[in-house]
Amino acid sequence: MSQSYQNLSPGDKTVPHPLSHCRHPTEVSTLVRYSVFSLLKNSFSGHKNWAPAWREPQPKKEYDVIIVGGGGHGLATAYYLAKEHGITNVAVLEKGWLGSGNIGRNTTIIRSNYLLVGNNPFYEWSLKLWEGLEQDFNFNAMVSQRGVLNLYHSDPQRDAYARRGNAMRLDGVDSELLDREAVREMAPFLSFDNARFPIMGGLLQRRGGTVRHDGVAWGYARGADLRGVDIIQNCEVTGIRIENGKVQGVETNKGYIGCKKLGLAAAGNTGEVAAMAGMKLPIESHVLQAFVSEGIKPYLDTVITYGVGHFYVSQSDKGGLVFGGDLDGYNSYARRGNMPTVEHVIEAGVAMIPGIARIRVLRSWGGIMDMSMDGSPIIDKTHVDGLYLNCGWCYGGFKATPASGWCFAHTIAKNEAHALNAPYRLDRFRRGYMIDEKGVGATPNLH
Ligand SMILES: Cc1cc2nc3c(=O)[nH]c(=O)nc-3n(C[C@H](O)[C@H](O)[C@H](O)COP(=O)(O)OP(=O)(O)OC[C@H]3O[C@@H](n4cnc5c(N)ncnc54)[C@H](O)[C@@H]3O)c2cc1C
């Protein structure tokens, strides 16, 4: 398994010209390739003459592939279908606007610090794709490899992190086990002698970091559109038509649209959308909240997390602290959470960084998580011919966006899983091959 991804290198690939697979020359000819020259040219007109980054097409009668969900995973899938497989007769159907789902709601953390065989190569491939992404899709997504530091507070936890760090290194992934003094040097403002959570050290992945989340949606959307993919916003899928065990198309609020293949990438709505195809999945929907503080001077130049109290934080380029913690802990489709979790997250944050008690919270919001029973995702074909499934990202799916789209595109194009997503088969729950990274069993609200 490790060989299969170590041989792949996004940076080594010759990137085809974005227009090379294009089907709509007249419609896309107004779209520009971003460069220092286009920036300079547009600065002379006060940046008022930029062309739209993608078209607003009406749906065609039929497509080779339809993707349900214009979030990060759906858009990335369409992009890689066109770029890697030359399949451009594709539509992405999004019931809201691009970025209205979790892709625009997450706390922007990326990393590949996983322990288990199924996860480790997949997430490392994702990080490799992040590393070349902006050049690849010609869009500034503010990929910032500022490091991700996970704190530990006890000897057993240090042993667990040493094990995880060693597993990462065996797979060629960077990791460093830091002692207390090394952590203090990086982040002197942490509460080292906290009575409940005294800090003993941390596991650092320097190549981890943050990415501007909505920039990812826009970059993939633009890159897919340039290659001829139709991105159709405000188009809700309300039914899936299946005849003789084969997918025929989808019912939408814009009418029926036929397709040869259908990929579901609806994240928190997966349960509802899969039910349209008569499938009941091992997925629960939970709400997760995120928070941003008022802007403060540069203070935190990495991402810091701790699992025992559960808090993760980074500082945005505007100066706000972006942070989050646990799920709300009950099933919901509401994109907002409740006060007990707000209190819990803030308490956990103040326990880790006492100084943030003096900062005001500016905003909070929620997103709906598709929580799987083992905490790991599903990228697979289904029992219905032409129907493919991408879900179960829990609250860590943002970092997976490039690899998820890349593998899902492969699975749809070739009608079989790539080696990287073969462990993420749906039938692993029946076969007993679960990928229980956190070791908490079938308890979705703990993943
Ligand atoms: C608060 C919060 C913090 C998070 N923090 C992180 C983090 O720091 N790092 C990390 O790796 N992950 C994080 N995540 C998780 C990550 O954001 C998600 O796992 C990931 O974004 C899910 O994939 P997506 O981008 O495709 O989802 P979405 O953006 O939700 O895309 C799914 C889309 O499907 C559309 N849809 C649903 N039903 C239909 C339908 N019937 N017809 C048409 N369209 C439909 C929805 O409108 C939505 O736009 C966080 C999530 C939240 C909410």
Side-chain angles (χ1 to χ4, degrees), residues 69 71-73 94-95 102-103 106-107 109 237 267 395-399:
H73 294 235
E94 166 53 48
K95 71 174 176 180
N102 297 333
I103 185 66
N106 62 67
T107 41
I109 300 168
V237 171
Y395 52 73
F398 176 62
K399 68 181 79 66

Side-chain angles (χ1 to χ4, degrees), residues 68-75 93-111 235-238 265-270 272-273 276 288-291 312 335 365-370 393-401:
V68 183
H73 294 235
L75 292 165
L93 308 184
E94 166 53 48
K95 71 174 176 180
W97 66 94
L98 289 193
S100 56
N102 297 333
I103 185 66
R105 291 166 183 267
N106 62 67
T107 41
T108 78
I109 300 168
I110 62 165
R111 55 186 173 85
C235 182
E236 178 167 6
V237 171
T238 52
N269 290 96
T270 296
E272 283 191 325
V273 176
M276 296 175 197
L288 175 67
Q289 302 187 57
F291 307 82
Y312 36 91
R335 283 173 173 176
W365 59 89
I368 307 304
M369 315 287 52
D370 40 330
W393 293 102
C394 300
Y395 52 73
F398 176 62
K399 68 181 79 66
T401 305

Side-chain angles (χ1 to χ4, degrees), residues 66-364:
I66 286 179
I67 305 293
V68 183
H73 294 235
L75 292 165
T77 304
Y79 175 79
Y80 291 117
L81 273 171
K83 176 173 178 270
E84 301 289 333
H85 305 282
I87 302 174
T88 57
N89 187 21
V90 176
V92 177
L93 308 184
E94 166 53 48
K95 71 174 176 180
W97 66 94
L98 289 193
S100 56
N102 297 333
I103 185 66
R105 291 166 183 267
N106 62 67
T107 41
T108 78
I109 300 168
I110 62 165
R111 55 186 173 85
S112 64
N113 53 1
Y114 282 74
L115 169 74
L116 298 182
V117 173
N119 284 332
N120 208 336
F122 174 87
Y123 284 97
E124 175 57 12
W125 175 234
S126 208
L127 197 50
K128 284 201 166 111
L129 289 170
W130 282 119
E131 285 170 341
L133 189 64
E134 292 162 301
Q135 289 72 24
D136 189 23
F137 64 25
N138 181 228
F139 199 88
N140 181 9
M142 295 164 70
V143 177
S144 166
Q145 291 182 285
R146 58 183 69 181
V148 172
L149 175 64
N150 299 143
L151 303 174
Y152 61 79
H153 312 268
S154 64
D155 288 340
Q157 214 191 353
R158 183 199 53 216
D159 292 349
Y161 275 5
R163 182 171 171 237
R164 190 178 353 157
N166 286 336
M168 290 163 64
R169 283 172 168 236
L170 283 172
D171 257 332
V173 183
D174 69 305
S175 76
E176 292 166 48
L177 195 65
L178 305 186
D179 64 13
R180 182 180 160 100
E181 289 318 307
V183 172
R184 197 191 293 276
E185 211 168 294
M186 274 185 79
F189 46 79
L190 293 173
S191 178
F192 284 86
D193 298 314
N194 183 292
R196 277 180 81 198
F197 311 120
I199 295 168
M200 289 179 63
L203 183 67
L204 174 67
Q205 185 181 27
R206 289 191 195 272
R207 287 168 57 245
T210 59
V211 183
R212 182 177 171 176
H213 50 196
D214 36 18
V216 177
W218 300 333
Y220 274 126
R222 179 174 174 276
D225 179 281
L226 276 167
R227 291 170 169 83
V229 171
D230 284 354
I231 295 164
I232 303 165
Q233 302 181 71
N234 302 311
C235 182
E236 178 167 6
V237 171
T238 52
I240 297 175
R241 201 179 285 179
I242 298 165
E243 281 171 20
N244 301 321
K246 178 158 179 30
V247 96
Q248 305 293 318
V250 288
E251 311 287 350
T252 79
N253 58 344
K254 292 183 189 268
Y256 174 77
I257 312 173
C259 65
K260 297 188 179 77
K261 294 183 174 182
L262 180 66
L264 308 183
N269 290 96
T270 296
E272 283 191 325
V273 176
M276 296 175 197
M279 294 173 68
K280 193 161 190 265
L281 297 174
I283 298 283
E284 284 185 7
S285 292
H286 285 255
V287 63
L288 175 67
Q289 302 187 57
F291 307 82
V292 66
S293 78
E294 61 187 334
I296 55 172
K297 286 184 180 171
Y299 166 73
L300 180 61
D301 62 0
T302 185
V303 180
I304 306 184
T305 85
Y306 79 121
V308 284
H310 207 195
F311 185 75
Y312 36 91
V313 62
S314 65
Q315 186 168 16
S316 80
D317 291 352
K318 282 199 285 187
L321 295 182
V322 181
F323 57 90
D326 280 344
L327 295 168
D328 269 46
Y330 52 87
N331 298 147
S332 175
Y333 285 110
R335 283 173 173 176
R336 61 188 167 81
N338 274 316
M339 284 307 283
T341 305
V342 175
E343 194 179 348
H344 169 70
V345 172
I346 304 285
E347 265 179 17
V350 172
M352 187 172 103
I353 310 176
I356 64 168
R358 297 174 56 203
I359 300 171
R360 281 169 297 194
V361 173
L362 203 61
R363 286 193 303 278
S364 71

